Structure formats: C-alpha cells, structure tokens
Amino acid sequence: MWEGSAAVCVKDRYLLVVQQGEKKLWTVPSGEKFEEESYEACCLRELEEETGYLGDIQRSLFVKKGQSFGIDITVHYFRVQITSGEMKIQDPDELIHDIKWVSLKELQTLDLSFPEDLVFLSEYIKQSS
C-alpha cells in the first residue's frame, strides 16, 4: 500500500502544478508519506521540496483511493494557502522538471499524471477566488 498527500494551491484562479518523472507529466505537488509523519506534515513537506513554497493547510478536500501500477494507493488532498518562500526546485529525489501556476484553460491542455483529477481540479479553480 502506498500512502501520500497532495497540496492544492490556488491563487487568483491559478493552480500550482509541477512537472515530474521520466514522462514529464503534470500534477499538483504531492508525494509519499513517511511512516512516522501525518498526512498534513507530508503535504507541507512535499510542497516545500517540490516548489520552494511554505504553506498552511486550510482544510482537507478529499481522500482518493485506488490503484496505480497495480499498487493500492491512498492520497489525501489538502487545500493549502501559500504563506512564504519562492518558486524553486529543490526536490531531493530530482524528479521535478518544472513548476508553474496555470489557468483553468491551460490546465485542460496539460498531460496530467492523474487525468482523473482534471474534473475536480477544474471545478476547484472555478470555485476559488
């Protein structure tokens, strides 16, 4: 079982995304939870590692359960408010290729790591101010 967290950050109707992995696909900042850490701590650690930003968790959005590459996964998605930091790649796993803020229109054109997230993320951008 793989467990992790994802940071959903929206500012002025733009969503923070990272390009990652060998296939260079886009996703919200996310990653695997260490055994001893909470889902919230994982979310904030991954946000900082992948983007350079620090943030505060506003609330839990939802938990996604399913399978990826034949492995059971559980991912906790959190709404995160950016509080400080600056955009920079500092991923210790060296899996991040790019970071950017995207509009709803641009999000719909990206090759996503998890295409099933497109509907949720699109609706979230529309509802955010």
Side-chain angles (χ1 to χ4, degrees):
M1 157 94 61
W2 187 95
E3 296 179 303
S5 295
V8 179
C9 307
V10 176
K11 183 172 85 174
D12 300 324
R13 293 193 166 219
Y14 283 80
L15 176 72
L16 181 63
V17 293
V18 296
Q19 187 183 48
Q20 66 175 2
E22 290 179 24
K23 295 184 180 180
K24 296 187 176 180
L25 300 174
W26 292 92
T27 186
V28 293
S30 57
E32 187 171 11
K33 181 177 92 65
F34 295 142
E35 194 171 313
E36 71 282 356
E37 76 182 337
S38 67
Y39 288 104
E40 293 84 356
C42 171
C43 178
L44 296 177
R45 175 181 52 78
E46 289 291 344
L47 174 68
E48 183 180 6
E49 284 179 2
E50 294 184 359
T51 70
Y53 288 121
L54 301 176
D56 284 333
I57 290 181
Q58 302 295 299
R59 64 184 171 97
S60 175
L61 295 174
F62 72 98
V63 178
K64 178 170 69 173
K65 294 183 181 226
Q67 280 206 332
S68 183
F69 303 105
I71 299 169
D72 290 331
I73 63 162
T74 300
V75 182
H76 290 247
Y77 286 70
F78 295 96
R79 176 182 173 172
V80 177
Q81 172 89 33
I82 301 296
T83 57
S84 62
E86 61 184 48
M87 191 184 307
K88 62 182 173 188
I89 298 172
Q90 52 190 18
D91 180 31
D93 301 325
E94 298 183 350
L95 296 173
I96 303 300
H97 303 286
D98 197 4
I99 309 162
K100 63 182 175 178
W101 292 90
V102 297
S103 66
L104 173 59
K105 186 174 182 177
E106 187 176 1
L107 175 66
Q108 294 171 338
T109 68
L110 297 178
D111 290 326
L112 299 177
S113 297
F114 305 102
E116 68 272 16
D117 289 355
L118 180 59
V119 171
F120 160 73
L121 293 172
S122 296
E123 287 302 314
Y124 192 77
I125 292 170
K126 289 178 190 175
Q127 295 171 8
S128 297
S129 54

